[in-house]
Amino acid sequence: MRRVPWWGVVSSLAAPVLLIGGWTLAAAIQPVPFDAVVRTISDLAALTTPDRWVMTTALVGVGLSHIVTACALAPAAVAGRLVLGAGGLTTLGVAAFPLPAGGGSSSAHTAAAAVAFVSLAVWPAFARVRRRRPEQIVAAVLEPRVAAAATCALLLAVGWFFTELLAGGDKVGLAERVAAGTQALWPLVVVLSLRKTQQT
């Protein structure tokens, strides 16, 4: 099994740190109280939001981190790495196309966010590796059953967010943070598991 380089650990750790740290700091420095249960992450990077550069910078860092992690995941299937990289690339798109002034919507932002959420939810299923020989070593996180379970869990989180968003629910922000947070953490789980398998 090919090795995951040390910089893959750095990039996979950077994604959740930047995302969670970004939305926490950006909300804390708002001049008026920011309700993270109701309001979305994108609201913190909207054109009229004070200090929007904090969340925008965090989103750029998260996107780049996913792309670097995709490059580092040599033991995973190429298709999964490409989908993870696409999730990172479209996260950059979320930062590049912020919500407009006045609380309106943006088709470019919505499209980028939707593709990012779906890509970051389904990449584990595409990254799975099947044993071709009995002696082949495959990390548990890349085995088909585990990869499928991870994708199902991530899709459920995304489904909750989309349901809240479309229904105009009062927990849109919370649902988005659960979905985005778990998506940011899973690549780290995969990288650490692969590193541990390689050391045994």
Side-chain angles (χ1 to χ4, degrees), residues 10-24 58 62 65 181 184-185 188:
V10 174
S11 63
S12 61
L13 177 61
V17 169
L18 287 169
L19 183 64
I20 297 170
W23 79 47
T24 302
V62 172
S65 295
L185 283 167
L188 176 61

Side-chain angles (χ1 to χ4, degrees), residues 11-83:
S11 63
S12 61
L13 177 61
V17 169
L18 287 169
L19 183 64
I20 297 170
W23 79 47
T24 302
L25 176 60
I29 62 176
Q30 292 304 302
V32 295
F34 184 88
D35 190 344
V37 174
V38 177
R39 300 184 62 187
T40 67
I41 299 167
S42 295
D43 287 335
L44 290 168
L47 288 176
T48 54
T49 300
D51 296 309
R52 61 178 294 270
W53 66 269
V54 174
M55 196 65 239
T56 301
T57 302
L59 288 171
V60 170
V62 172
L64 293 174
S65 295
H66 285 322
I67 293 171
V68 173
T69 301
C71 295
L73 285 176
V78 173
R81 297 169 68 188
L82 289 173
V83 176

